[in-house]
Amino acid sequence: MLRIAVPNKGSLSGPAAEMLHEAGYQQRRESKELRIVDPENEVEFFYLRPRDIAIYVASGRLDLGITGRDLLIDSGADAEEILPLGFARSTFRFAAKPGTADGIEDLKAKTVATSYEGIVAGHLADSGVDASVVHLDGAVETAIELGVAEVIADVVETGTSLRNAGLEVFGEPIMKSEAIVIRRTGADGEEPKVEQFLRRLQGVLVARTYVMMDYDCRVEQLEKAVALTPGLESPTVSPLHNEGWVAVRAMVPAKEAQRIMDDLYAIGARAILTTAIHACRL
């Protein structure tokens, strides 16, 4: 069986389980379950701490894992990213009291507090900056107030918590993270079960990104309509019973669907419908 690690808690856990369910895989019913077997799909899922997943995958004990890009890099494990999953996105930034620093070059001889020591230490080294890194498990904002560090490095979403602590971000982002699928570095990339698993997840990603659009238009407006809805390869065009009219079907980006419907209506298209895509293979 294919052995796959899934986050057992935190911001990665729920979305990962939801995506796997959409991809047709059985998932645990209770949070206390640490392992389940999906015999129909020949997959065994292990529910592990997100920070540990890269270590298990790198050891070769598990074939694949779902974790965060930040956690993979921070672990230093011998594993690699093979598919970004588009959820749990975050940005890592430096922050400090106003006037402390303007860029990474100003961190020389300073102390940086963070929960992601591997990421920050590597980033500082790559930038040629000699600074100290202090590891904290959480609430790094208080490190400056308590004098443990002059600078922190942490996940920044809206920046509200930093502003409330009297801090401001500076410099370029350290990195951008999201949920990813990982495997051991150098593992066989042609394994059929792995390829099937990745195709299923890719199908979910596409289904979430696109909708199916159907509409009717006059033949003389077809080229303009097709320019608005080119589809992935080409739209499907079928003649209608009424002469001079055709029905068109194409996949369009979900975030652009309303604008496309307006543009189609403006050129004379009618009966414009969109429907969700629940699964696909491209």
Side-chain angles (χ1 to χ4, degrees), residues 55-97:
I55 304 298
Y56 281 105
V57 173
S59 74
R61 302 291 183 180
L62 300 177
D63 301 297
L64 300 171
I66 295 177
T67 188
R69 184 180 294 125
D70 53 344
L71 298 175
L72 168 63
I73 295 174
D74 194 61
S75 72
D78 193 18
E80 62 182 358
E81 174 181 339
I82 57 174
L83 180 67
L85 297 177
F87 63 86
R89 289 191 172 100
S90 60
T91 303
F92 283 78
R93 303 289 300 267
F94 288 114
K97 293 285 187 182

Side-chain angles (χ1 to χ4, degrees), residues 107-186:
L107 299 185
K108 184 178 180 180
K110 287 184 169 59
T111 301
V112 182
T114 183
S115 299
Y116 295 83
E117 183 179 1
I119 292 175
V120 176
H123 184 67
L124 291 168
D126 291 342
S127 301
V129 175
D130 184 13
S132 300
V133 179
V134 174
H135 176 81
L136 297 175
D137 283 332
V140 295
E141 295 94 339
T142 60
I144 295 177
E145 181 181 351
L146 296 177
V148 174
E150 297 101 323
V151 178
I152 66 168
D154 202 7
V155 175
V156 177
E157 295 181 357
T158 64
T160 301
S161 60
L162 292 177
R163 288 191 294 273
N164 290 340
L167 308 178
E168 64 179 14
V169 298
F170 64 87
E172 296 296 319
I174 300 168
M175 70 169 293
K176 292 183 181 293
S177 182
E178 65 181 291
I180 58 174
V181 178
I182 64 172
R183 68 179 171 192
R184 181 172 54 85
T185 302

Side-chain angles (χ1 to χ4, degrees), residues 195-208:
E195 293 302 308
Q196 181 187 67
F197 179 76
L198 295 177
R199 278 197 303 272
R200 286 196 182 191
L201 294 187
Q202 288 167 336
V204 173
L205 291 172
V206 172
R208 289 178 172 183

